[in-house]
């Protein structure tokens, strides 16, 4: 198992990509702390999977838009499972808004969760890793939408910011043997891309833009990339963006 003996903290793990990442990390031997906000049942299902895989799971209700919740979730992870060797900043939102109708509250809501939360979660985890004299792996979730998305100026800005933030974090944390990378998924079969769209629109978009297979990506495909970046197989990789999109965007 590639992650045997490791402790991971995954934000936004109640569904979709976050849930898949939590399951995949456990499948490779990690104990996993899983944060959730408004779907306790979904989070418990992921935790049950982790335990059935023979690993420890710990559930934490957290609003990652709040700094106090971020600091508390890291402290709770340390107390329940130990210092997290792996942080996956997965929590994210994408409420579609036309640019000319965007309000300050729309912007702040998306940037607080998609960008600010990842920054301060990484700060908190890096501090406990450094205090423990340990290296680690931080994985931030960006998106193919960083290149631009209709009705998603705030979302594209947040995900582009994740890329720049990842590179800067990687430089600062390299002396402490803490690697920082990002995954930029293409359109993935989760609830998020359906908000504000119809299923027919999604199917046509997939056929037109995804060369490999002509279908939406599965959360498990993103999760396998996270396992790789968290493992020692990626011990020389930091400051990078791994695009997982079926060829719809070639960086």
């Amino acid at each position: 198992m590639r992650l045997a003996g490791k402790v991971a903290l995954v934000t936004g793990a109640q569904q979709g990509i976050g849930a898949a990442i939590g399951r995949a990390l456990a499948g490779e031997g990690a104990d996993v702390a899983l944060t959730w906000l408004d779907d306790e049942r979904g989070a418990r299902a992921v935790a049950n999977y982790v335990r059935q895989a023979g690993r420890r799971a710990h559930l934490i209700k957290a609003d990652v838009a709040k700094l106090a919740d971020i600091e508390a979730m890291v402290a709770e992870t340390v107390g329940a499972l130990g210092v997290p060797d792996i942080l996956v900043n997965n929590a994210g939102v994408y409420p579609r808004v036309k640019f000319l109708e965007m309000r300050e509250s729309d912007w702040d809501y998306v940037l607080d969760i998609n960008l600010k939360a990842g920054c301060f979660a990484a700060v908190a985890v890096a501090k406990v890793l450094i205090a423990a004299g340990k290296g680690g792996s931080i994985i931030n979730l960006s998106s193919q939408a960083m290149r631009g998305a209709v009705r998603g100026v705030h979302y594209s800005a947040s995900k582009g910011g994740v890329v720049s933030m990842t590179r800067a974090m990687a430089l600062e944390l390299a002396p402490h043997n803490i690697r920082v990378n990002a995954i930029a998924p293409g359109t993935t079969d989760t609830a998020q891309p359906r908000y504000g769209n119809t299923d027919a629109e999604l199917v046509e978009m997939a056929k037109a833009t995804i060369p490999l297979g002509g279908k939406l990506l599965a959360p498990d495909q993103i999760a396998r990339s996270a396992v790789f970046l968290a493992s020692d197989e990626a011990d020389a990789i930091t400051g990078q963006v791994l695009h997982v999109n079926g060829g719809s965007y070639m960086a």
Side-chain angles (χ1 to χ4, degrees), residues 20-211:
I21 290 174
R23 292 191 296 263
L25 295 174
E28 288 290 341
D31 297 323
V32 190
L34 308 153
T35 79
W36 63 281
L37 178 62
D38 54 12
D39 184 1
E40 184 177 6
R41 182 177 180 179
R44 288 193 179 280
V46 181
N48 288 338
Y49 181 98
V50 171
R51 294 179 183 122
Q52 288 169 6
R55 308 312 309 165
R56 295 180 297 163
H58 184 70
L59 288 174
I60 304 170
K61 185 175 182 180
D63 180 352
V64 295
K66 299 176 180 178
L67 183 56
D69 279 23
I70 290 172
E71 293 174 342
M73 77 182 184
V74 174
E76 190 171 335
T77 300
V78 173
L81 301 177
V83 174
D85 307 278
I86 302 157
L87 168 66
V88 182
N89 282 313
N90 166 77
V93 293
Y94 187 179
R96 287 166 175 78
V97 179
K98 293 180 180 178
F99 177 53
L100 296 180
E101 298 175 3
M102 188 173 296
R103 302 163 297 176
E104 182 180 13
S105 59
D106 297 319
W107 175 271
D108 289 346
Y109 173 61
V110 171
L111 271 291
D112 281 355
I113 295 173
N114 293 5
L115 187 59
K116 184 181 78 173
C119 174
F120 287 99
V123 168
V125 168
K127 283 182 176 179
V128 296
L129 281 170
I130 292 167
K134 300 177 67 176
S137 174
I138 296 172
I139 301 167
N140 300 319
L141 267 291
S142 181
S143 169
Q144 178 177 298
M146 66 183 176
R147 62 179 178 164
V150 176
R151 294 185 293 152
V153 168
H154 50 352
Y155 184 76
S156 293
S158 72
K159 293 304 186 177
V162 166
V163 172
S164 297
M165 179 179 74
T166 295
R167 292 168 178 160
M169 284 181 180
L171 289 172
E172 291 223 24
L173 294 177
H176 303 288
N177 195 32
I178 299 172
R179 298 181 296 104
V180 189
N181 292 289
I183 299 173
T187 306
T188 307
D189 193 7
T190 66
Q192 190 180 77
R194 291 189 172 84
Y195 297 144
N197 288 319
T198 68
D199 286 350
E201 287 174 331
L202 279 174
V203 170
E204 291 306 310
M205 178 178 64
K207 288 180 179 178
T209 64
I210 301 178

